[in-house]
Amino acid sequence: MLGAVAVALAGLLTLTACGSNTTRSDTTTGPGAGGGSANGTVGVILPETATSARWEGFDRPMLQQALSAQGFDADIENAQGDVQKFTSLADGMIAQGVKVLVIAAINSEVGTAVANKAKRAGIPTIDYDRLNLGGASDYYVSFDNVRVGQLQGQALADALKDKPGAQVIEIQGAPTDNNATLFAEGQHKVLQPLYNSGALKLVHSQPIDGWDNQKGGQVFEQLLTGNGGTIDGVVAANDGLAGAIITVLKKNGLNGKVPVTGQDATVEGLKAVLRGDQYMTVFKPIKDEAEAAARLAAALAKGDKATADGLATASSQDPKGNRTVKSVLLDPHSITRTEVKQVVDQGYVKAGELCTGDVAQICMQLGIAR
C-alpha cells in the first residue's frame, strides 16, 4: 500500500485518499496554471482513474503545488487508461516544448515510446511511480516497491503465525506493471521461505490484467471455490483488489476471519482495516513523491546534472533494457488498525470522510478526531 514522516498538508486536499471514489478526471492543469513562470513548463502525464483515484486526488494537486514551488508552470494531463491518448498528450507537450516530461505510464511500451520521442526532441524525461522497462528515461522517482511487498508479506506472516500450514491465495497486480512485479518480489522475500518450510501453503498466485478489481474478485472466487470454499489468508496487491476479495469473503461468511493485505491507504481500504475485514494496507506519502519529482525536474530543466544525480542516490534495475536507472526511492509505511490514525494526522485522509457510518465508533475508540 515506511521512513520519513510526511508533512501535514495544511488543507491542501479537498478530496479523500488515494483510492477514493471521488476523482477530478474532468480537471486539467494547463501550462499557464503556474502563473506564467519564466522558467518554463514541466509536462506531466498521469495514467488513469479507473483503478485508483490517487492520480487525480493526490498526485495532480501535489505535483502542481510542488512544481509551482520550484518556479515552474505545470501542464498535467490524465490519459484515462487510453494508450493512444497518452501518446497524443505526449506529442502535444513535446511540440509545446516542455522543459521536462514526467511520465506515469499506462504500460512500459507506451512509456518507452514517449521517452524516446522526448529524447529525440532534447527533452529529459522522468519515470514517475512506475519504471518503464526497456525505457529511455535517465531518472526514476517512486517508493521502494520491493519494500512495499515485504511489508505486505510480513503482515500476512504475522497474522498467520499461530496457524501452521495456513493456506494462502495471492492476487497480484498487472503483469505489465513493473511495480506489481516488485511487490510480488518483496512479498516472496518473506513468504517463500515459509512456503518452502510448510509453515504456510500457497494455493495459487494469480496476476490480474490491468489491476481490474472486478476481474480480481472473480478470479479469487474461482480459486476459493476450487479450494473447497476455505482459505486462511490472502495477499491482495492493493486496496482495490482487497475490496473485491472482501466482497467475496462476505458472501461466504469469511470476512474478518481471513487476513487480507492491501496497499494505497485508500478511504475504503482504511475503513476495511478499521472494521477488521482487511488486515493492513500500505501508506505511501505521495506528497514526498511529488516533491522529489519536482526537485529532480527543476534540476534537469536547468541542465544541472550534478544536482539531479545528488537527488537520485538510489538505483533501480531495468532487466529488459539491461541498464541501471538513477532513482529516488522513498519509504512506505505499514498500516494496521492501530496505525490508521497516522494517515489522518498527516492530512492524507480527512477524519470526517473516514469516520462515517459503522466505523465512527471505532474512530472514537482509536482517538481519530472528526
Side-chain angles (χ1 to χ4, degrees):
M1 356 143 71
L2 300 173
V5 178
V7 179
L9 301 185
L12 168 66
L13 299 180
T14 58
L15 299 173
T16 55
C18 309
S20 160
N21 291 327
T22 303
T23 69
R24 302 189 311 179
S25 58
D26 59 338
T27 303
T28 56
T29 307
S37 168
N39 289 330
T41 300
V42 173
V44 181
I45 311 178
L46 303 177
E48 48 90 17
T49 59
T51 67
S52 177
R54 64 161 279 188
W55 303 110
E56 293 295 316
F58 282 76
D59 295 86
R60 179 189 289 275
M62 291 176 178
L63 282 162
Q64 170 64 53
Q65 185 185 57
L67 287 166
S68 180
Q70 292 293 328
F72 289 85
D73 290 343
D75 185 359
I76 304 177
E77 306 285 353
N78 194 307
Q80 298 297 339
D82 186 327
V83 170
Q84 186 173 352
K85 183 176 181 181
F86 196 100
T87 301
S88 177
L89 288 171
D91 288 344
M93 291 180 184
I94 291 169
Q96 170 192 317
V98 294
K99 298 295 184 182
V100 178
L101 190 56
V102 179
I103 304 167
I106 297 168
N107 57 48
S108 288
E109 288 73 19
V110 70
T112 297
V114 164
N116 282 327
K117 282 184 181 180
K119 196 168 201 176
R120 289 194 293 270
I123 298 171
T125 58
I126 299 170
D127 283 352
Y128 180 79
D129 201 71
R130 300 166 173 177
L131 179 64
N132 293 309
L133 300 184
S137 296
D138 292 323
Y139 296 91
Y140 169 52
V141 176
S142 188
F143 290 87
D144 185 336
N145 293 307
V146 172
R147 179 62 180 154
V148 169
Q150 286 178 299
L151 294 174
Q152 293 171 325
Q154 189 59 57
L156 193 70
D158 292 344
L160 298 174
K161 63 183 178 182
D162 295 327
K163 199 166 188 176
Q167 299 184 84
V168 175
I169 290 174
E170 298 177 353
I171 301 296
Q172 302 290 358
T176 56
D177 182 350
N178 186 55
N179 281 4
T181 301
L182 297 177
F183 300 150
E185 178 185 335
Q187 294 157 11
H188 292 155
K189 281 180 181 289
V190 177
L191 297 176
Q192 194 61 52
L194 299 177
Y195 296 150
N196 292 344
S197 70
L200 297 176
K201 178 184 176 182
L202 178 61
V203 174
H204 192 79
S205 182
Q206 180 66 48
I208 303 299
D209 290 339
W211 291 90
D212 187 315
N213 298 333
Q214 183 177 2
K215 184 175 181 181
Q218 292 169 348
V219 168
F220 173 72
E221 188 162 26
Q222 291 165 2
L223 292 171
L224 180 65
T225 300
N227 199 49
T230 64
I231 199 66
D232 298 305
V234 184
V235 174
N238 71 359
D239 288 351
L241 291 170
I245 289 161
I246 290 166
T247 297
V248 176
L249 292 174
K250 284 181 179 178
K251 285 170 57 178
N252 290 271
L254 295 173
N255 60 300
K257 302 174 184 178
V258 176
V260 180
T261 69
Q263 178 198 177
D264 284 338
T266 68
V267 167
E268 291 306 313
L270 292 169
K271 283 185 175 182
V273 170
L274 290 174
R275 291 186 191 106
D277 290 338
Q278 185 171 324
Y279 186 74
M280 63 84 74
T281 186
V282 178
F283 169 46
K284 299 182 292 188
I286 295 170
K287 186 170 187 285
D288 293 356
E289 186 179 21
E291 290 178 346
R295 288 192 295 270
L296 187 56
L300 293 175
K302 297 169 184 175
D304 188 351
K305 189 174 182 300
T307 295
D309 290 349
L311 292 167
T313 54
S315 62
S316 300
Q317 296 304 310
D318 173 5
K320 184 176 180 179
N322 193 27
R323 64 192 184 118
T324 300
V325 185
K326 296 171 185 176
S327 305
V328 179
L329 299 179
L330 303 165
D331 290 323
H333 306 255
S334 181
I335 301 294
T336 55
R337 197 168 186 263
T338 56
E339 286 121 15
V340 170
K341 188 174 185 293
Q342 295 178 20
V343 185
V344 178
D345 288 348
Q346 293 176 36
Y348 283 82
V349 176
K350 292 183 178 179
E353 295 163 330
L354 175 65
C355 300
T356 61
D358 61 337
V359 301
Q361 186 64 33
I362 300 171
C363 282
M364 288 181 62
Q365 293 169 359
L366 295 173
I368 302 173
R370 294 193 62 178

